[in-house]
Structure formats: structure tokens, C-alpha cells
Amino acid sequence: MLLHIADVLDAARLADTRALLARAPWVDGRVTAGHQSAQVKDNLQIPEGCPEHRALGEIVLGALERNPLFISSVLPLKVFPPLFNRYDPGMTFGAHVDNAIRQVTGTAARIRTDVSCTLFLSDPASYEGGELIVEDTYGEKRVKLPAGDAVIYPATSLHRVAPVTSGSRLASFFWIQSMVRDDGQRSLLFDLDMAINRVRGDLPQDHRAPTELTAVYHNLLRRWADA
């Protein structure tokens, strides 16, 4: 499932994020790449553990916790601490698949990367190129979203970032280990959850259908969840 999640960061949090990005240090992005990805990766990243990285991560994680669409679509069990990258003119990231397991830097904690997420932090009019291109069974999806919006997609997907030709593209990226590892099952649960919300709004408050459908949702989640 590829899903656009609007307004993950509101205007105030986006302004705080941009102020931190402006004063943060930047290093070669290949420091967090696996062997395969390092061969096609050309960008900059904020070093993990620096004060700006920690502050930015807290903003993003706090926003995700308050976003019901993110919670419903991803069913997060663990979220990798958000990373932050920048693509200047000529920079790109070639086709790759994300590592299946990521270790949190400086800890023994590991997460299985079921879902990838990119949170766009630059106004799309401020740079040319830089689209996130995700390949699936229906072809390529090119994604370039407003600042503060995010896209989620299966971490199993082959994907790349098109070369930036002008301006700078800034984003946060990270991975989620879902309670439900199968993308097809997560998609069914998400569709059912959205349908329950619509039915609940259309029917009288004492109607049994929303309760019965909610029972089906939780019984499926109980059957499929790892947690």
C-alpha cells in the first residue's frame, strides 16, 4: 500500500523543523547505507545523535503519534528513529531496496523494516527534480509532496530518488516495524477501519453494524498481529 498522509507537521512544527535543519551539520549520506545502497547513494545527512538530530526526531515522532491516519495505516510496533537528508543539485539515490533489518545506532535494538516513510520538508516549488519513485506491480509512482506531508510504502519496494536539478530537497526518512508484517493484511485492515468510520458517521448512534464490524476488525488484528 502506498499512501499519502497530509499535514503530518503543522505550520508551527514545520517552522521549528526548518530552523533546526538550517543550523544542523551535514555529512555524507552513505554513512547509513548498506553495501548495495552505498553504491547508488549520493546525498547528505544529519549525523545521528547530534543535538539537532535528536530534537528533529522528537518533533517527527510526536507528530506521528498524534496522526490517526498514520497509526491506522501502519499499525506501528516500533519506529526507527527518524533520519534527515538533503539533496543538492546533481545529487540522487539510485534504485534500491531497503535493508530488511536495521539496528538502532548505539543500541542493541533492531527493527524489521516492514514500511518505509518519507516526510517531505521542502516546499516542492523550491527545488526541481527529486521525486521519490516507487515501483510496484502497477508501474512507477512518482511522489513529490507539500512540505509537512508524508508518504508510506512497503519497504520491499524497489525505489529511487530522481536527481535534483536546482534548489535543495530536504526530508525525513525512517522505517516502521508493523504489528502486522504482511502488506496485504495491513491494507485490508486499513480499508476496514476506514469503512467503519464512514458507517459510524452515516448510521444512528445505537445501530449495531459499527460495533459488529469493529469486532471483525479486532478479531482479524488478533489473528494477524505479532505483538
Side-chain angles (χ1 to χ4, degrees):
M1 176 174 60
L2 187 152
L3 182 67
H4 172 190
I5 304 176
D7 301 319
V8 173
L9 295 181
D10 59 22
R13 291 185 178 89
L14 190 57
D16 292 341
T17 297
R18 285 173 168 168
L20 287 163
L21 290 169
R23 67 171 186 257
W26 295 90
V27 298
D28 190 324
R30 284 172 287 193
V31 295
T32 59
H35 175 72
Q36 170 233 336
S37 296
Q39 300 177 58
V40 293
K41 186 176 186 180
D42 180 18
N43 65 10
L44 301 172
Q45 283 182 206
I46 295 176
E48 293 178 76
C50 75
E52 293 83 2
H53 174 259
R54 291 194 296 268
L56 286 163
E58 289 174 3
I59 292 173
V60 172
L61 290 175
L64 294 173
E65 290 173 358
R66 294 184 293 270
N67 191 291
L69 190 59
F70 175 81
I71 300 298
S72 177
S73 59
V74 174
L75 296 171
L77 179 62
K78 302 176 185 177
V79 180
F80 193 89
L83 301 172
F84 298 85
N85 60 20
R86 189 179 89 206
Y87 291 80
D88 292 334
M91 292 184 175
T92 185
F93 198 162
H96 64 285
V97 172
D98 294 327
N99 290 350
I101 305 295
R102 305 266 329 185
Q103 185 163 340
V104 179
T105 301
T107 77
R110 297 179 180 180
I111 76 161
R112 185 184 66 239
T113 59
D114 299 321
V115 182
S116 295
C117 182
T118 296
L119 172 61
F120 289 79
L121 301 174
S122 296
D123 183 334
S126 69
Y127 65 98
E128 297 291 336
E131 297 88 353
L132 172 66
I133 304 170
V134 182
E135 298 182 22
D136 64 18
T137 54
Y138 299 101
E140 292 186 348
K141 303 291 191 303
R142 302 179 73 91
V143 184
K144 187 175 183 179
L145 300 180
D149 288 12
V151 62
I152 61 164
Y153 56 96
T156 53
S157 304
L158 194 67
H159 59 284
R160 64 188 190 275
V161 176
V164 169
T165 57
S166 68
S168 292
R169 172 200 191 266
L170 293 103
S172 176
F173 65 102
F174 49 94
W175 302 272
I176 304 97
Q177 180 173 331
S178 176
M179 290 185 286
V180 177
R181 72 169 68 196
D182 183 83
D183 180 59
Q185 293 172 344
R186 281 197 310 275
S187 296
L188 286 172
L189 287 167
F190 175 69
D191 290 343
L192 180 56
D193 192 24
M194 296 298 101
I196 291 169
N197 290 334
R198 288 191 294 271
V199 168
R200 185 177 287 118
D202 293 341
L203 294 176
Q205 189 171 2
D206 60 351
H207 201 288
R208 285 178 56 86
T211 301
E212 292 170 350
L213 289 169
T214 299
V216 172
Y217 175 91
H218 284 285
N219 286 330
L220 287 172
L221 181 58
R222 186 176 291 111
R223 178 181 293 268
W224 292 337
D226 292 334

